Amino acid sequence: MVNAGDMNGSGNLMDFLDEPFPDVGTYEDFHTIDWLREKSRDTDRHRKITSKSKESIWEFIKSLLDAWSGWVVMLLIGLLAGTLAGVIDLAVDWMTDLKEGVCLSAFWYSHEQCCWTSNETTFDDRDKCPQWQKWSELLVGQSEGASAYILNYFLYIMWALCFAFLAVSLVRVFAPYACGSGIPEIKTILSGFIIRGYLGKWTLLIKTVTLVLVVSSGLSLGKEGPLVHVACCCGNFFSSLFSKYSKNEGKRREVLSAAAAAGVSVAFGAPIGGVLFSLEEVSYYFPLKTLWRSFFAALVAAFTLRSINPFGNSRLVLFYVEYHTPWYMAELFPFILLGVFGGLWGTLFIRCNIAWCRRRKTTRLGKYPVLEVIMITAITAIIAYPNPYTRRSTSELISELFNDCGALESSQLCDYINDPNMTRPVDDIPDRPAGPGVYSAMWQLALALVFKIVITIFTFGMKIPSGLFIPSMAVGAMAGRMVGIGVEQLAYHHHDWIIFRNWCRPGADCVTPGLYAMVGAAACLGGVTRMTVSLVVIMFELTGGLEYIVPLMAAAVTSKWVADAFGKEGIYEAHIHLNGYPFLDVKDEFTHRTLATDVMRPRRGEAPLSVLTQDSMTVEDVETLIKETDYNGFPVVVSKDSERLIGFAQRRELILAIKNARQRQDGVVSNSIVYFTEDPPELPPNSPHPLKLRRILNLSPFTVTDHTPMETVVDIFRKLGLRQCLVTRSGRLLGIITKKDVLRHMAQMANQDPESIMFN
Amino acid sequence: LFPQVHRMFAQNSRNSVSPVLLLVLLGCVLCPPAQASKSSEDIRCKCICPPYRNISGHIYNKNVSQKDCNCLHVVEPMPVPGNDVEAYCLLCECKYEERSTTTIKVIIIIYLSVVGALLLYMAFLVLVDPLIRKPDPYTQPLHNEEDSEDTRSLAAVPTLAGARANTVLERVEGAQQRWKRQVQEQRKTVFDRHKMLS
């Protein structure tokens, strides 16, 4: 953008409309960045600013502004991410209720808001009021009976289909990159990959708008993963306003890491959990500076969301639990069982979902994305409506399952047989036998559990924004609550068994089924994503239950062990492998005894390495070499005989330099000799003007010898973020190893298909 | 479902709209909460009292301030006689809640207008645009992905230099063309070749 303004000074305002002039130093789409070069460019820039700051007051102020620009970007990201999350929460709240009815006094109120000031609410029906009417009441005037039920059912399905169809059309027409969760692609981008347009403004707008639509349509998906994508888009947008970040891809990724933390922070209301999530799951390099910046961004985002106050009621956390009853050591056994369930479910989900996504990629199913979305929405709506636990939104379901049954609850799940003379305060109700409502709630929950397990496998990965935190937590919460009620009733009816006798006396409040739901939710989420520390922190920030850290940790650890026994990859790494992104995972261990010669190109029998010589090739030779091959760079050697390495030249920079030279410099023709040396020799007067390209040459390419073990080479690639590495023997250039070769080699060693690594 | 969009998309679209839209959204959303004053509809004290002896459970709402939000002020008429009031009130739980109706109204209306605008634009692109624009003989046909970016970048320079002198409208056209090409590429990558996002 800056270069275009230089050329035509009068049109600065409209310059953003022009095509960005390809700059030396920008990268092509679907290529990997060179971390070392970005770092050295940033150091150069910083040194220049520091040395100029001593010259005048204005330069000093400019250097201060440059230092603070990082914090300003974080502030802006926090504000925008918090605002967008507040908008999404409010809109989802309203549109979810729109499927069932409408508020007559003001159509923009959800059910709860509509009945806020009403005096008609009763103890049993907390949300009843005359201003909010179901569709059957509005259209035909009846609210009970079979015809009203069928009409409500039909309209529920129609609204769900309408929302889902609108969402998938918007995604398809305006921003195809807005589908999916976004976290696998963001992980790849943060490891150094370029995907142009993935964090663009249209993607941001469409993802925000369609996220509301798909969550309201009742599909079994969550909004947390897409909110991370939205926050990273905000990060990309604000970092393009400051040249410190817009011109340096390495610095930009620091901002994106912090933005991801802000995204999780507003999704859950968990700032610290967000920072830990960014550290553990999303980021590739996470220096301490990024830790502070992420913390600030997450804090600002949480504060902004709090000030918008989307839930009303001053609720700071999403699923606030109000009980503080202690848990007992003997309960660790069911908690560990829930951990095992979480691990098993995680494995099942990952395997089935990857198989289904692979089928979608390779067969005819992938040709009908809109139809697929409509079918899944129809099936979800048809099966979800009859069961009251799946009819409501998943967040409300989790909230109800996490909460304990005090005297003030009147839902079916809390239909215990009460002692009529009891006068205990609300948070010390002893264990009671289950009434008929609890039994019916149990089998409804069991059906809902099976349904959610099956439908989430088909929902995650469709061409709409979809996350899977909330569905996994719902599955775990349902399983946990059922186990908790089971243990509670067991303790009540058999309080004289050995295991209960010590800690559970009759008339005491021993078992809290809500805690089991929390532990189950954490176990299932850990089993799918393989998060550990960040999961526990997010869970206790979500619920406010600090006493329950140990059970949560036990369940998280158990589910990770069980899930890792079946497969090392979490859901996001599995999707990265499915799509073939060039992501070199820092968690994998390379334990094979291969050497650099086994992996380098050219292999035996292949064409020799395409190199440039330092002073004997003409412009035409270089252009022919570039046109005939598609390598990203060429090593520069002294001469074809000696093959001693001088440096490495990037393909893109060669093209740009030659193009610029042909246009601007006089005398550079196809016969001109290209010089990579410092001082080209004196030429006879009628020879063509030489082309000096030393400035684009990287004089310090990384080299290893041919007997370097691959373990070391992989380590170097990971720690330094290299794109390619040259292989020498006795000082002579032998071959080249690129990141793609490393990934292919690792896939081959793990008996996977090496041809599945795509891109460059 | 929109096979014609692939071809029709070679005409126009605008990518300068979206950042302006975002800033307007941000401005509209951040301003009203700052100006909202507390109307009587926005605060309440909610007391939930469970069933007690032969009295059924009841919920009481009243518009009082936070220091008056307790059982004695809110529960009217008191269902139990004087000596039982204390025992009854121990069972009740009172909470002070507040909300901002202006925020809700503004955000929902902004959201609906954004969705409406996008719907109209989508309808325009799919239905109206191909009718008013004749297919341009100079636009390049859909070239496959084997076209290297090098030749495209080498070829793009002369057209860029030529287009510089044109009016604002033609620059907007150029930006629209570029955006449509980008979306087309994205759609090919994601929906047709399944190269990304499975």
Side-chain angles (χ1 to χ4, degrees), chain A residues 475-497:
Chain A
V475 166
M478 286 193 271
R481 187 80 186 211
M482 295 196 316
V483 168
I485 293 179
V487 170
E488 184 190 37
Q489 295 305 302
L490 206 62
Y492 180 82
H493 290 290
H494 301 280
H495 53 83
D496 48 349
W497 283 6

mmCIF file of all heavy atoms in Angstrom, chain A residues 475-497:
data_model
loop_
_atom_site.group_PDB
_atom_site.id
_atom_site.type_symbol
_atom_site.label_atom_id
_atom_site.label_comp_id
_atom_site.label_asym_id
_atom_site.label_seq_id
_atom_site.Cartn_x
_atom_site.Cartn_y
_atom_site.Cartn_z
ATOM 1 N N VAL A 475 -22.201 -33.495 26.152
ATOM 2 C CA VAL A 475 -22.160 -34.960 26.254
ATOM 3 C C VAL A 475 -21.617 -35.372 27.620
ATOM 4 O O VAL A 475 -22.181 -36.223 28.317
ATOM 5 C CB VAL A 475 -21.284 -35.534 25.125
ATOM 6 C CG1 VAL A 475 -20.942 -36.980 25.371
ATOM 7 C CG2 VAL A 475 -21.980 -35.400 23.794
ATOM 8 N N GLY A 476 -20.508 -34.740 28.032
ATOM 9 C CA GLY A 476 -19.929 -35.086 29.321
ATOM 10 C C GLY A 476 -20.826 -34.727 30.481
ATOM 11 O O GLY A 476 -20.912 -35.466 31.468
ATOM 12 N N ALA A 477 -21.510 -33.570 30.375
ATOM 13 C CA ALA A 477 -22.370 -33.153 31.486
ATOM 14 C C ALA A 477 -23.534 -34.106 31.644
ATOM 15 O O ALA A 477 -23.927 -34.449 32.768
ATOM 16 C CB ALA A 477 -22.865 -31.732 31.262
ATOM 17 N N MET A 478 -24.103 -34.562 30.515
ATOM 18 C CA MET A 478 -25.229 -35.494 30.621
ATOM 19 C C MET A 478 -24.782 -36.801 31.247
ATOM 20 O O MET A 478 -25.420 -37.314 32.183
ATOM 21 C CB MET A 478 -25.833 -35.729 29.235
ATOM 22 C CG MET A 478 -26.643 -34.556 28.760
ATOM 23 S SD MET A 478 -27.656 -34.917 27.348
ATOM 24 C CE MET A 478 -26.542 -34.553 26.029
ATOM 25 N N ALA A 479 -23.644 -37.338 30.755
ATOM 26 C CA ALA A 479 -23.156 -38.591 31.328
ATOM 27 C C ALA A 479 -22.829 -38.423 32.802
ATOM 28 O O ALA A 479 -23.166 -39.273 33.640
ATOM 29 C CB ALA A 479 -21.900 -39.051 30.565
ATOM 30 N N GLY A 480 -22.189 -37.295 33.133
ATOM 31 C CA GLY A 480 -21.799 -37.069 34.517
ATOM 32 C C GLY A 480 -23.001 -36.929 35.431
ATOM 33 O O GLY A 480 -23.018 -37.457 36.550
ATOM 34 N N ARG A 481 -24.025 -36.215 34.966
ATOM 35 C CA ARG A 481 -25.192 -36.041 35.818
ATOM 36 C C ARG A 481 -25.881 -37.368 36.086
ATOM 37 O O ARG A 481 -26.309 -37.653 37.215
ATOM 38 C CB ARG A 481 -26.178 -35.081 35.145
ATOM 39 C CG ARG A 481 -27.345 -34.713 36.009
ATOM 40 C CD ARG A 481 -26.969 -33.661 36.992
ATOM 41 N NE ARG A 481 -28.040 -33.392 37.930
ATOM 42 C CZ ARG A 481 -28.246 -32.207 38.479
ATOM 43 N NH1 ARG A 481 -27.471 -31.205 38.151
ATOM 44 N NH2 ARG A 481 -29.207 -32.038 39.349
ATOM 45 N N MET A 482 -25.945 -38.211 35.038
ATOM 46 C CA MET A 482 -26.595 -39.513 35.245
ATOM 47 C C MET A 482 -25.809 -40.342 36.254
ATOM 48 O O MET A 482 -26.388 -40.965 37.160
ATOM 49 C CB MET A 482 -26.728 -40.247 33.909
ATOM 50 C CG MET A 482 -27.656 -39.511 32.985
ATOM 51 S SD MET A 482 -28.267 -40.408 31.574
ATOM 52 C CE MET A 482 -26.892 -41.241 30.962
ATOM 53 N N VAL A 483 -24.483 -40.342 36.131
ATOM 54 C CA VAL A 483 -23.657 -41.073 37.098
ATOM 55 C C VAL A 483 -23.843 -40.488 38.488
ATOM 56 O O VAL A 483 -23.961 -41.221 39.486
ATOM 57 C CB VAL A 483 -22.175 -41.025 36.666
ATOM 58 C CG1 VAL A 483 -21.266 -41.501 37.769
ATOM 59 C CG2 VAL A 483 -21.959 -41.845 35.425
ATOM 60 N N GLY A 484 -23.907 -39.133 38.558
ATOM 61 C CA GLY A 484 -24.057 -38.491 39.859
ATOM 62 C C GLY A 484 -25.362 -38.848 40.533
ATOM 63 O O GLY A 484 -25.398 -39.137 41.747
ATOM 64 N N ILE A 485 -26.453 -38.837 39.764
ATOM 65 C CA ILE A 485 -27.742 -39.201 40.359
ATOM 66 C C ILE A 485 -27.714 -40.659 40.797
ATOM 67 O O ILE A 485 -28.225 -41.023 41.870
ATOM 68 C CB ILE A 485 -28.878 -38.930 39.365
ATOM 69 C CG1 ILE A 485 -29.027 -37.431 39.128
ATOM 70 C CG2 ILE A 485 -30.177 -39.502 39.864
ATOM 71 C CD1 ILE A 485 -30.089 -37.081 38.147
ATOM 72 N N GLY A 486 -27.056 -41.500 39.980
ATOM 73 C CA GLY A 486 -26.948 -42.905 40.359
ATOM 74 C C GLY A 486 -26.217 -43.090 41.675
ATOM 75 O O GLY A 486 -26.663 -43.812 42.576
ATOM 76 N N VAL A 487 -25.076 -42.389 41.800
ATOM 77 C CA VAL A 487 -24.299 -42.510 43.042
ATOM 78 C C VAL A 487 -25.094 -41.951 44.215
ATOM 79 O O VAL A 487 -25.086 -42.503 45.319
ATOM 80 C CB VAL A 487 -22.948 -41.775 42.893
ATOM 81 C CG1 VAL A 487 -22.222 -41.673 44.203
ATOM 82 C CG2 VAL A 487 -22.085 -42.482 41.870
ATOM 83 N N GLU A 488 -25.808 -40.856 43.974
ATOM 84 C CA GLU A 488 -26.593 -40.239 45.052
ATOM 85 C C GLU A 488 -27.673 -41.188 45.569
ATOM 86 O O GLU A 488 -27.843 -41.368 46.777
ATOM 87 C CB GLU A 488 -27.227 -38.967 44.504
ATOM 88 C CG GLU A 488 -27.982 -38.165 45.534
ATOM 89 C CD GLU A 488 -28.775 -37.050 44.874
ATOM 90 O OE1 GLU A 488 -29.307 -37.291 43.776
ATOM 91 O OE2 GLU A 488 -28.846 -35.965 45.447
ATOM 92 N N GLN A 489 -28.388 -41.803 44.632
ATOM 93 C CA GLN A 489 -29.445 -42.717 45.061
ATOM 94 C C GLN A 489 -28.867 -43.956 45.722
ATOM 95 O O GLN A 489 -29.422 -44.481 46.696
ATOM 96 C CB GLN A 489 -30.314 -43.121 43.861
ATOM 97 C CG GLN A 489 -31.074 -41.961 43.269
ATOM 98 C CD GLN A 489 -31.922 -41.264 44.315
ATOM 99 O OE1 GLN A 489 -32.773 -41.886 44.954
ATOM 100 N NE2 GLN A 489 -31.678 -39.995 44.532
ATOM 101 N N LEU A 490 -27.721 -44.415 45.217
ATOM 102 C CA LEU A 490 -27.046 -45.557 45.828
ATOM 103 C C LEU A 490 -26.661 -45.226 47.262
ATOM 104 O O LEU A 490 -26.831 -46.032 48.182
ATOM 105 C CB LEU A 490 -25.793 -45.877 44.998
ATOM 106 C CG LEU A 490 -25.272 -47.299 45.016
ATOM 107 C CD1 LEU A 490 -26.302 -48.227 44.452
ATOM 108 C CD2 LEU A 490 -24.001 -47.378 44.196
ATOM 109 N N ALA A 491 -26.145 -44.011 47.450
ATOM 110 C CA ALA A 491 -25.743 -43.620 48.801
ATOM 111 C C ALA A 491 -26.940 -43.477 49.718
ATOM 112 O O ALA A 491 -26.849 -43.756 50.914
ATOM 113 C CB ALA A 491 -24.960 -42.309 48.738
ATOM 114 N N TYR A 492 -28.071 -43.024 49.178
ATOM 115 C CA TYR A 492 -29.249 -42.839 50.028
ATOM 116 C C TYR A 492 -29.855 -44.168 50.448
ATOM 117 O O TYR A 492 -30.162 -44.388 51.624
ATOM 118 C CB TYR A 492 -30.282 -41.987 49.288
ATOM 119 C CG TYR A 492 -31.517 -41.747 50.099
ATOM 120 C CD1 TYR A 492 -31.548 -40.740 51.049
ATOM 121 C CD2 TYR A 492 -32.659 -42.541 49.944
ATOM 122 C CE1 TYR A 492 -32.670 -40.522 51.812
ATOM 123 C CE2 TYR A 492 -33.779 -42.330 50.705
ATOM 124 C CZ TYR A 492 -33.785 -41.321 51.635
ATOM 125 O OH TYR A 492 -34.893 -41.112 52.402
ATOM 126 N N HIS A 493 -29.993 -45.064 49.450
ATOM 127 C CA HIS A 493 -30.701 -46.301 49.772
ATOM 128 C C HIS A 493 -29.822 -47.326 50.464
ATOM 129 O O HIS A 493 -30.306 -48.246 51.095
ATOM 130 C CB HIS A 493 -31.283 -46.903 48.498
ATOM 131 C CG HIS A 493 -32.418 -46.111 47.934
ATOM 132 N ND1 HIS A 493 -33.642 -46.045 48.541
ATOM 133 C CD2 HIS A 493 -32.505 -45.342 46.823
ATOM 134 C CE1 HIS A 493 -34.455 -45.268 47.824
ATOM 135 N NE2 HIS A 493 -33.786 -44.826 46.781
ATOM 136 N N HIS A 494 -28.493 -47.189 50.309
ATOM 137 C CA HIS A 494 -27.601 -48.190 50.903
ATOM 138 C C HIS A 494 -26.541 -47.510 51.731
ATOM 139 O O HIS A 494 -25.353 -47.766 51.578
ATOM 140 C CB HIS A 494 -26.934 -49.014 49.796
ATOM 141 C CG HIS A 494 -27.912 -49.729 48.921
ATOM 142 N ND1 HIS A 494 -28.502 -50.927 49.307
ATOM 143 C CD2 HIS A 494 -28.422 -49.410 47.714
ATOM 144 C CE1 HIS A 494 -29.338 -51.306 48.347
ATOM 145 N NE2 HIS A 494 -29.312 -50.415 47.376
ATOM 146 N N HIS A 495 -26.995 -46.637 52.615
ATOM 147 C CA HIS A 495 -26.003 -45.873 53.364
ATOM 148 C C HIS A 495 -25.258 -46.710 54.394
ATOM 149 O O HIS A 495 -24.356 -46.228 55.054
ATOM 150 C CB HIS A 495 -26.659 -44.676 54.057
ATOM 151 C CG HIS A 495 -27.833 -45.072 54.896
ATOM 152 N ND1 HIS A 495 -27.716 -45.547 56.177
ATOM 153 C CD2 HIS A 495 -29.162 -45.076 54.602
ATOM 154 C CE1 HIS A 495 -28.910 -45.805 56.649
ATOM 155 N NE2 HIS A 495 -29.809 -45.542 55.736
ATOM 156 N N ASP A 496 -25.640 -48.002 54.532
ATOM 157 C CA ASP A 496 -24.915 -48.838 55.473
ATOM 158 C C ASP A 496 -23.837 -49.675 54.802
ATOM 159 O O ASP A 496 -23.188 -50.476 55.451
ATOM 160 C CB ASP A 496 -25.895 -49.739 56.228
ATOM 161 C CG ASP A 496 -26.848 -50.413 55.244
ATOM 162 O OD1 ASP A 496 -26.858 -50.001 54.052
ATOM 163 O OD2 ASP A 496 -27.560 -51.333 55.652
ATOM 164 N N TRP A 497 -23.618 -49.525 53.489
ATOM 165 C CA TRP A 497 -22.502 -50.216 52.855
ATOM 166 C C TRP A 497 -21.182 -49.652 53.343
ATOM 167 O O TRP A 497 -21.107 -48.509 53.786
ATOM 168 C CB TRP A 497 -22.569 -50.039 51.333
ATOM 169 C CG TRP A 497 -23.577 -50.905 50.673
ATOM 170 C CD1 TRP A 497 -24.489 -51.726 51.270
ATOM 171 C CD2 TRP A 497 -23.786 -51.020 49.268
ATOM 172 N NE1 TRP A 497 -25.243 -52.342 50.337
ATOM 173 C CE2 TRP A 497 -24.853 -51.936 49.088
ATOM 174 C CE3 TRP A 497 -23.183 -50.450 48.140
ATOM 175 C CZ2 TRP A 497 -25.310 -52.286 47.832
ATOM 176 C CZ3 TRP A 497 -23.650 -50.807 46.888
ATOM 177 C CH2 TRP A 497 -24.702 -51.714 46.739
#
